[in-house]
Amino acid sequence: MMSPFVPFPIFCPYAQWRPSGLVQFPENNELLARLAAVDESCFPLISLWYCQRYLAWIAHSWPPEQANEAYYFETIHLERLLNWCFSEGLSLLSLRARDLHRYGEFFSSPSADWCAPTVSLKFLPNPLKPYESWMVNPAWRPFLSTPRDASCQFGMAQVVINRFIDFYRREVCKPGLSPVLRGFHKKKAVKNFHKLTEYEMDWYMASLGALSHGEMYKQSTLVYFALARWSRQSRRRLMGNSSNPGLLNQFYKGAHGAWVETLPGGGIRALNEQFTFIFESYLKHLELDPDQPLPLAKLFESSPEGKFARKCRDQLVQMAQGSDEPQIRIAAAKFQNLTFSSLRKSSTL
């Protein structure tokens, strides 16, 4: 009896990614062995090769501060589709509309053996060995078994996969209309925004601050959420972009010790004591003196809505579900979709 297909990680962590100049392809030895075991009719190596060409092409559009996050979103959706193709004996490079339809159905409700309860590392890092010798993490799975907004994630999958298909067909000069992944299963639902109370936001941020790992990432995430609650500047202005980077010096300390934000048009606005405590803790982790003028440096080196923030959110949802406080247990559903936008909309300022 043939063993069921076990999905495996395909794309390396961002820190190990090299768009060109690899000595061997793929670079990781165990990944190469896993791909060699896939049915040849799936064309696993050439499929991955075109995926890497696509990533090198799309990477030119990523703002430096968001590159890590962008790489994650592109690769997770390509990785899921590649594994599904391998399990079905299909080639990524010759998918038809009905194949993508089937994948959409699988995406909306993946089988239990393709899901893990928490986010896991793809490979097991070994500081004494290069990435090529790292072992695949047997606990890794493409999907999470925790509740998720499948329709929202499917929308992102459509963007990545349809863009890749267009890229590939242009690369090989393949005429005709491209098959596309469509949101056929996605139900039109009325969006019910459930505002968080001040107590719920305080609980979430205090619990995040109490987590025992990832101190630097935790500090930047807390500042990001504090800005959502207490700043009146847009996320775009705070985060910045290639032409208008978000800088630390858009804040300065006023005469009475409160932090002040500069608003578009030259206005200023004082921020409250809770923001002061969180922001100054962050500055100390950046090895900056809160009592000195802030430098022309980026407010955030990487996206505070990255993989670490999502991992923490999963942990905090579980904590809320097991809380002794009924209000927090009920709020767990709100925390599941907590973002900068939901915090901003919930703020009473």
Side-chain angles (χ1 to χ4, degrees):
M1 181 177 177
M2 185 178 294
S3 300
F5 175 82
V6 178
F8 54 90
I10 295 171
F11 297 96
C12 65
Y14 178 73
Q16 277 69 47
W17 182 51
R18 303 293 181 268
S20 61
L22 296 179
V23 175
Q24 94 177 13
F25 174 81
E27 192 173 1
N28 181 270
N29 294 328
E30 188 173 353
L31 171 59
L32 183 59
R34 297 287 183 104
L35 291 170
V38 173
D39 192 299
E40 291 182 359
S41 64
C42 298
F43 296 99
L45 284 173
I46 191 66
S47 296
L48 177 55
W49 186 76
Y50 272 110
C51 286
Q52 294 288 13
R53 283 182 62 84
Y54 164 76
L55 289 170
W57 168 75
I58 195 67
H60 292 289
S61 67
W62 299 339
E65 67 276 8
Q66 296 175 19
N68 192 330
E69 181 78 357
Y71 176 82
Y72 170 80
F73 277 114
E74 295 286 342
T75 55
I76 189 62
H77 291 299
L78 292 172
E79 205 158 44
R80 288 167 173 171
L81 181 58
L82 277 168
N83 272 292
W84 181 82
C85 288
F86 299 159
S87 71
E88 296 290 318
L90 298 171
S91 167
L92 173 69
L93 306 179
S94 57
L95 291 176
R96 292 166 290 186
R98 64 173 176 267
D99 299 323
L100 290 171
H101 182 94
R102 288 174 53 218
Y103 175 68
E105 292 179 327
F106 178 81
F107 185 98
S108 65
S109 184
S111 55
D113 56 347
W114 282 53
C115 301
T118 59
V119 175
S120 300
L121 294 174
K122 294 182 180 183
F123 298 88
L124 301 175
N126 185 334
L128 301 179
K129 295 182 179 180
Y131 164 66
E132 65 187 50
S133 300
W134 290 6
M135 302 302 294
V136 165
N137 183 357
W140 179 89
R141 292 295 182 270
F143 297 93
L144 289 177
S145 53
T146 53
R148 64 191 182 116
D149 185 351
S151 63
C152 176
Q153 290 193 23
F154 190 78
M156 292 185 286
Q158 288 179 106
V159 171
V160 173
I161 292 168
N162 293 340
R163 187 164 54 201
F164 167 78
I165 292 172
D166 284 343
F167 168 83
Y168 168 69
R169 291 174 74 92
R170 289 196 306 271
E171 282 283 287
V172 297
C173 300
K174 197 169 185 177
L177 294 174
S178 301
V180 293
L181 183 64
R182 299 185 185 278
F184 54 88
H185 76 287
K186 189 175 169 182
K187 295 180 180 179
K188 294 270 185 179
V190 177
K191 287 187 177 180
N192 293 319
F193 170 69
H194 298 288
K195 190 174 182 179
L196 289 102
T197 66
E198 290 293 316
Y199 181 74
E200 290 164 354
M201 289 188 282
D202 284 342
W203 181 92
Y204 190 93
M205 293 180 67
S207 300
L208 173 61
L211 293 179
S212 60
H213 57 273
E215 194 64 27
M216 188 60 229
Y217 288 111
K218 188 167 66 179
Q219 292 293 331
S220 63
T221 305
L222 282 169
V223 168
Y224 184 65
F225 288 162
L227 290 167
R229 290 185 66 180
W230 297 302
S231 169
R232 293 300 90 189
Q233 298 189 71
S234 69
R235 180 186 179 281
R236 180 183 295 274
R237 188 166 190 267
L238 291 166
M239 295 296 294
N241 52 48
S242 56
S243 61
N244 181 32
L247 300 175
L248 281 165
N249 71 342
Q250 58 190 299
F251 303 94
Y252 67 91
K253 204 165 189 177
H256 300 291
W259 283 91
V260 174
E261 62 179 351
T262 57
L263 303 173
I268 60 172
R269 180 174 172 277
L271 296 157
N272 67 14
E273 291 181 4
Q274 288 173 283
F275 176 82
T276 293
F277 176 79
I278 294 171
F279 190 58
E280 291 194 354
S281 179
Y282 178 55
L283 294 178
K284 289 173 183 175
H285 276 273
L286 295 178
E287 298 184 349
L288 295 172
D289 185 346
D291 295 318
Q292 297 297 319
L294 297 181
L296 290 168
K298 288 182 180 178
L299 180 57
F300 300 109
E301 283 299 324
S302 59
S303 172
E305 286 189 329
K307 194 172 182 180
F308 177 82
R310 291 191 298 274
K311 179 180 179 181
C312 290
R313 184 173 59 195
D314 291 340
Q315 289 181 265
L316 294 173
V317 168
Q318 292 179 8
M319 288 170 59
Q321 290 169 340
S323 174
D324 294 333
E325 300 181 64
Q327 181 179 349
I328 298 302
R329 289 200 300 272
I330 293 171
K334 302 180 188 179
F335 298 150
Q336 184 69 51
N337 298 308
L338 185 139
T339 62
F340 184 96
S341 177
S342 64
L343 283 170
R344 175 61 59 86
K345 290 176 181 177
S346 299
S347 173
T348 57
L349 294 178

